[in-house]
Amino acid sequence: MPFIHRLAIIGVGLIGGSLARILREKGAVGEIVGIGRGEANLRKAVELGVIDRYSLDSAAGVEGADVVFLATPVCSIPSITAEIAPHLAPGCVVTDGGSVKEEIVSACEPLMPKGVHFVGGHPIAGTEHSGVEASFSSLYVGKRCIVTLTPRTSQDALAKVVRMWEVAGSEVVIMDTEKHDRVVAAISHLPHMVAYALVNAVEGYDRFEESILRYSAGGFRDFTRIASSDPAMWRDIALMNREAVIEMMDHFAAYFARLRELVAAADAPGLERFFRESKESRDAIL
């Protein structure tokens, strides 16, 4: 029997669509309502069987839902939450998939009516593609999902969100919002900043008349794959988590400066040691 009777997903793309697919596949949800502004994408979601019906009106779409999942750009989550809050049914749990938590949770928790709860979440999974057609049911299988806990968090609501992500195949980790933002700044936000900067640096290299990006091979393409991600989404993430992102960018810059010194000094032992330490750390996470 489904433990979520009606799930409302605001933003039926890769993240929201993939969650809908796996919960339906596992028999964990009764009805799925898609909510958004792009009607063509929502119609496609119905055609693909990802959702049962859709609404362009968020207030109408969340009516009667016992779980609402916000899968929209991070900067929009507080305003959308404010818009839907008066229309949420008692007992409803609102959660999200944004990769920034402190600002979102602190803004959204106070908006909840009595008997309605907000629980911050962040599945650490994704691809560089977007839209409901990019969604697939195994996206979250074997991935980690961080669920945040605050002094205001309802234990029942927390348990429901944890169960949802475990059914989706994720390993759930619970932590506070500040720790989440600093951890994710290091393991996700910084790599995206580096990838975007690297592509721009290579494209902007003007020693030759032609763009040298045309010569890029497997290593460059693999490393910079994430620079194909949605620019608007990453603009919002960089702005909303800017303090932690800047801290990690500065931390990275110090290591990159050290590497430059080793190359400039032709320090072969130092370079080998630097590369070996990096290799050992990377190999340990495989």
Side-chain angles (χ1 to χ4, degrees):
M1 183 175 179
F3 74 94
I4 299 175
H5 301 292
R6 179 177 294 166
L7 171 66
I9 297 179
I10 304 180
V12 189
L14 170 68
I15 299 301
S18 295
L19 180 63
R21 286 180 185 272
I22 187 63
L23 293 180
R24 187 188 298 284
E25 190 177 285
K26 296 291 187 178
V29 64
E31 182 185 34
I32 304 175
V33 182
I35 302 166
R37 293 176 297 181
E39 190 167 11
N41 182 70
L42 291 168
R43 281 200 304 265
K44 175 60 69 174
V46 172
E47 291 172 11
L48 293 172
V50 176
I51 60 175
D52 297 298
R53 58 184 175 91
Y54 68 84
S55 175
L56 301 178
D57 181 342
S58 58
V62 300
E63 184 179 351
D66 51 321
V67 175
V68 175
F69 179 58
L70 299 165
T72 60
V74 290
C75 283
S76 70
I77 290 175
S79 61
I80 293 173
T81 302
E83 183 180 341
I84 65 173
H87 309 282
L88 298 170
C92 180
V93 177
V94 182
T95 187
D96 74 307
S99 70
V100 179
K101 293 272 73 80
E102 190 165 18
E103 189 169 334
I104 288 175
V105 174
S106 63
C108 293
E109 277 187 329
L111 297 172
M112 295 295 98
K114 185 176 181 180
V116 177
H117 305 282
F118 187 92
V119 179
H122 176 209
I124 305 177
T127 73
E128 68 274 27
H129 304 297
S130 58
V132 70
E133 291 177 282
S135 65
F136 55 100
S137 64
S138 60
L139 176 63
Y140 304 114
V141 176
K143 305 298 195 310
R144 286 193 176 90
C145 178
I146 298 175
V147 175
T148 57
L149 179 67
T150 78
R152 300 178 63 159
T153 305
S154 157
Q155 289 302 310
D156 289 342
L158 179 71
K160 193 162 192 173
V161 173
V162 168
R163 184 179 178 189
M164 181 181 78
W165 286 113
E166 287 179 343
V167 169
S170 294
E171 175 193 344
V172 177
V173 179
I174 298 174
M175 66 176 64
D176 65 60
T177 56
E178 181 183 2
K179 180 178 179 181
H180 166 276
D181 286 0
R182 296 195 182 278
V183 168
V184 175
I187 65 170
S188 175
H189 301 172
L190 176 64
H192 279 80
M193 300 302 112
V194 172
Y196 282 120
L198 177 58
V199 172
N200 282 339
V202 174
E203 175 63 12
Y205 185 67
D206 59 1
R207 178 164 291 197
F208 307 104
E209 293 182 0
E210 61 182 331
S211 168
I212 62 174
L213 280 175
R214 60 181 295 200
Y215 299 108
S216 61
F220 186 89
R221 291 173 185 267
D222 290 345
F223 184 82
T224 59
R225 174 188 58 80
I226 54 178
S228 291
S229 301
D230 182 0
M233 178 181 76
W234 282 98
R235 173 202 64 203
D236 289 353
I237 290 170
L239 291 174
M240 188 170 269
N241 200 28
R242 59 189 176 276
E243 180 184 332
V245 169
I246 289 172
E247 179 185 40
M248 282 311 306
M249 291 175 77
D250 289 344
H251 188 64
F252 172 78
Y255 277 81
F256 196 72
R258 175 57 181 156
L259 179 57
R260 187 189 185 284
E261 290 172 359
L262 294 171
V263 173
D267 184 346
L271 284 167
E272 186 173 350
R273 182 168 55 254
F274 189 97
F275 297 147
R276 182 184 300 110
E277 289 172 352
S278 178
K279 172 178 166 48
E280 289 172 352
S281 296
R282 176 64 178 84
D283 290 348
I285 67 173
L286 293 178

